[in-house]
Amino acid sequence: MKNILCLLAVFLLYTAVSAQNSLIGKITSKEKNEPVSANIYIPQLEKGTVADFDGNYTLNNIPDGNYNVVFSSLGYATISKKITFSNNQSVTENFQLEESAVEMEEVIVSTPFHKLQSDNVMKVERISTEDLNSSGAVTLADGIKNIAGVDLITTGTGIGKPVIRGLSSNRVLTYTQGVRLENQQFGDEHGLGINEAGIESVEVIKGPASLLYGSDALGGVLYLNPERFAISGETHGDLSSTYFSNTLGTSTNLGMKTSGEKLKFLARGSFSEFSDYKTGAGYRVTNSRFNEKDLKTGVQYLGTKFKSTLRYNYNRSNIGIAEEIGEQTRSKSLELPFQEVDNHILSFDNTLFFNNSSLDVKAGYLFNDRREFEDDPAIAALRLKLNTINYDVKYNLPELGRFETIIGLQGMFQNNKNEGEEILIPDANTTDVGLLATSHYHLEKVDLQAGIRFDSRKIESEAARNPLDNDFIPALNKTFTSFTAALGAKMDLFKNFSTRVNLASGFRAPNLAELTSNGIHEGTNRYEKGNAELNNEQNFQADLSFEYRNEHVEFFVNGFYNAVNNYIFLSPTNETIEDTQVYDYLQNDATLYGGEFGFHLHPHPLDWLHLESSFETVTGKLSNDKYLPLIPANSLRNTFRVELNDGKTRKKSFAFITLENTLDQKNVSNFETRTGGYSLLSAGIESSFQLQKIAFKLGVNGTNLTDKEYISHLSRFKPDGILNIGRSINVNLKIEI
């Protein structure tokens, strides 16, 4: 022990006296040569600063290495430049930013090499949670459905599961705090368990991402970027609260963060509470109420040789299970039946910096405690405890000419245990191991990226119930393996015009519920029978996108074709057990195809005026030409938006009005019914004010302003004829210091 302490002391002393690099310079506008108070940020280090009113900036304590440095400011084109730091250098970089009405670009974190979207080979959608909240979203999941190509399977307003280009459930992987989220996500009625407070932005990869993330990323990835730490030498605090008229709900969160030169800390807590939502027909959906408590905290140390970030998130969600329309009340107290879900996420992210390379080591521990109360609020009829440890090790090799290369090792150890009276899935252990390599090659007008990966997943489950009973679940011991690969290119064909071509394979091992279920899944009102003979789902997807951007207009077209072998799906049978229809898990080849189209007009000199329009479509079929279930209907979204950014006291204001047209869904599976189309109108206005060191933000928005009576095709209440939420007027106030 004494020797270990001595070595630790020597290591800390070494890091304290190691060379420190700095970056200094001045940012001005190219057109007027005036100073610009731009943001300077190094994504790999999570370190940044803001230029002063004269455009001067200084960024200290930079480790040796090659880093992409991003220079950005609202109203100007973002610049990303790779800069080399070594030997206690003070590097000077002066930049002139060009004025642009195009939205300020951000670095994409969910794909390797940390590129700006304009330099990224994969097309990734990114939206800030601030924008989601401004649109009237009740939850984080509710907000992401505004992204083209993304929809939501909903259970009222409290539960939502993302659908990316027609694929959902375990085919869409969620990442938070840099680690994969595991919380029994196989169930349609199981929500994300993540609150939007403390989440800075959401990135969506639409298409197979198994190369980067392994099993369960066959359909895409929902990547949640946590809140950034404060700039060195600064301390900030904020308080915000939102009122939702429809559910009489409130959502309040309080946060603070402080940073020194090397050590940083932040903490944020939130509480939300909602009563039963009211439909456009005027009735409330009994027991659709829910409440949520959330705590996020983090600490980071940045030295000259390494960076370490420790984050923790605790979330408690109490969610009513609506079964039929009953007593009309505004109460927020839960009634039976209801779910009580605890989610703990602990992540430890470390980066070791070498002269020309770096090593990233991430580890995560997640504990999910899911309880369902049916007859007694003190005794859980169903209780599932899920313990997960995952790791992610990536080595960023020294650059070889124009090549950037990453090799990695990823894995997971998972244990599922039952402690309730009912058994939904058996006690089981899951072990994942994955090896990957990917490279990026940069030319002046072409960027190429390729990679390959091998995965192995082992599932061992125990036998459950009496072997003589019909609902007996035998023990299982199966291993699933897969090779996946990806190849992509981004090409600047002409001035302002670019195209992306991506070819990728993905896979998904069957989950525990699909392999072993034998009983009533209460949340879905189905008797589900698993199939221990299921094989891997394996897919191949081709993506083609075109994008044109200038200072007046943006236009994009994205198309995809996705062939899935051994697609797993539930199929109803003629059998009933305990007065509940039996569903079997079957497999068949499937194809999905479609795309997104859109444009964004911001005419010069009316840069404050924005006209946005997007259309999305997806079709999914089995090889027998029958349609897949839970495929979103085609939709068209049009938004008129005004943004004003000048003024000494009023810093920023915007107003919007959006009309979303959802078309009829006639392409339905053999246990679905057609869904009629509908149009939803929403609008809002928001302003920010600065009074000395205190900033205020006040916003009012409304959703479904016409109080439309409608049912979404992806609503789990649709079989019962229960309508979606009606009109809601929402008021938000935020104070920042």
Side-chain angles (χ1 to χ4, degrees), residues 422-438:
E422 299 177 1
I423 295 178
L424 181 61
I425 53 176
D427 296 351
N429 293 316
T430 302
T431 305
D432 280 5
V433 178
L435 297 168
L436 69 99
T438 181

Side-chain angles (χ1 to χ4, degrees), residues 250-300:
T250 57
S251 179
T252 302
N253 83 79
L254 173 67
M256 66 82 60
K257 49 187 174 182
T258 184
S259 296
E261 190 60 43
K262 294 186 176 182
L263 194 63
K264 304 179 180 183
F265 173 80
L266 59 78
R268 183 170 299 279
S270 68
F271 177 72
S272 305
E273 191 174 33
F274 301 87
S275 66
D276 297 340
Y277 77 84
K278 186 168 66 173
T279 69
Y283 63 83
R284 293 188 178 274
V285 179
T286 307
N287 208 25
S288 62
R289 65 202 69 171
F290 67 98
N291 60 68
E292 184 178 29
K293 301 173 185 175
D294 191 85
L295 171 67
K296 294 183 177 73
T297 186
V299 61
Q300 183 182 87

